[in-house]
Amino acid sequence: MSDASITKKAIAKGFKHILKNKNFEKITIAEITAACGLNRQTFYYHFRDKYDLINWIVYQEAILVIRTDLTIENWDSKVLELLTTMKKDGHFYQTTLKDIAGTEFQNYLFTVTKEIFIEMIEHLASDRKINSEAVPVMTPQKKTFTAEFLSYGVVGMIIDWAQNGMKQSPEEITISIKEIINGARMFAVSRYFQELTKA
């Protein structure tokens, strides 16, 4: 691990510790650096401000979890890992999503889930071609619309779960998301059949 990564992790840890007992808006850079034994100059060398710090934490601890080595075959275990990470650090993520940088986090999640759905749609088309079925071409616009529509549902479920206190277990939420994904497969197939009948 590089010195920069070690320093950033130390700053993040100090910030999270303070956030447990103090409102985000009232936390100062001086308090954060004091909590981790660094100076203000060091903070600004790595981060523009507190919001930049939060975005870095969310990306490193949550988004990379689900993005790294993500495939159609392992997406459910990746989602479970993401939700487990969020649950373990519940106060930070609930505070982040309710009061601070929720939009950035949602954008990250939306981008990742959209990629999953686009890959799924392409995978379905590929399977039908292998099975010698006539497959109509789904335009990039239709493919994007379908993937975005489904992504909003999955991301909305995760955000609602976090904002409402994470009462359900990560396992329960993952099962619910899998149900959405399975429904998405049926939805995508039905759209192909619709296009086929028009052809």
Side-chain angles (χ1 to χ4, degrees):
M1 185 182 298
S2 67
D3 290 343
S5 294
I6 292 172
T7 301
K8 287 182 176 181
K9 285 181 178 293
I11 293 172
K13 183 177 180 180
F15 169 72
K16 284 186 179 182
H17 179 73
I18 299 170
L19 187 63
K20 289 180 179 179
N21 302 298
K22 192 168 185 178
N23 182 279
F24 170 76
E25 296 299 336
K26 295 182 178 179
I27 297 176
T28 66
I29 302 301
E31 288 176 306
I32 297 172
T33 53
C36 53
L38 299 171
N39 56 51
R40 287 170 57 89
Q41 184 178 355
T42 300
F43 178 93
Y44 286 116
Y45 179 78
H46 295 286
F47 302 106
R48 293 188 302 274
D49 50 31
K50 294 184 294 184
Y51 295 94
D52 190 33
L53 168 59
I54 286 177
N55 288 335
W56 182 84
I57 293 172
V58 167
Y59 187 80
Q60 291 294 317
E61 297 183 358
I63 300 305
L64 283 183
V65 165
I66 197 171
R67 189 183 277 277
T68 304
D69 299 322
L70 178 67
T71 66
I72 285 181
E73 289 73 27
N74 72 3
W75 69 264
D76 54 336
S77 63
K78 286 290 185 177
V79 168
L80 178 58
E81 190 177 352
L82 167 68
L83 297 176
T84 301
T85 297
M86 292 175 66
K87 178 84 171 181
K88 186 181 296 184
D89 204 357
H91 177 78
F92 171 77
Y93 285 98
Q94 289 178 60
T95 301
T96 296
L97 291 172
K98 283 184 177 179
D99 305 323
I100 307 171
T103 300
E104 192 70 25
F105 184 43
Q106 291 179 49
N107 287 342
Y108 281 140
L109 278 181
F110 179 80
T111 299
V112 172
T113 54
K114 178 181 172 182
E115 289 172 1
I116 295 172
F117 283 120
I118 287 177
E119 185 177 351
M120 181 185 298
I121 291 167
E122 292 173 345
H123 186 67
L124 285 168
S126 176
D127 281 350
R128 292 187 68 191
K129 286 176 182 176
I130 290 173
N131 293 326
S132 301
E133 297 180 46
V135 181
V137 176
M138 179 178 272
T139 65
Q141 292 83 359
K142 288 183 178 180
K143 186 186 300 182
T144 298
F145 173 82
T146 303
E148 289 180 349
F149 175 79
L150 297 167
S151 297
Y152 279 119
V154 171
V155 173
M157 183 176 290
I158 294 174
I159 299 303
D160 285 345
W161 170 71
Q163 291 182 335
N164 291 316
M166 301 181 175
K167 296 179 179 66
Q168 294 170 284
S169 69
E171 289 78 9
E172 289 174 311
I173 296 299
T174 300
I175 289 172
S176 295
I177 291 175
K178 285 180 73 172
E179 290 174 354
I180 291 179
I181 300 294
N182 289 334
R185 290 178 189 273
M186 296 176 64
F187 176 71
V189 169
S190 70
R191 286 189 60 104
Y192 279 119
F193 277 119
Q194 288 172 13
E195 293 297 325
L196 185 59
T197 59
K198 294 176 184 177

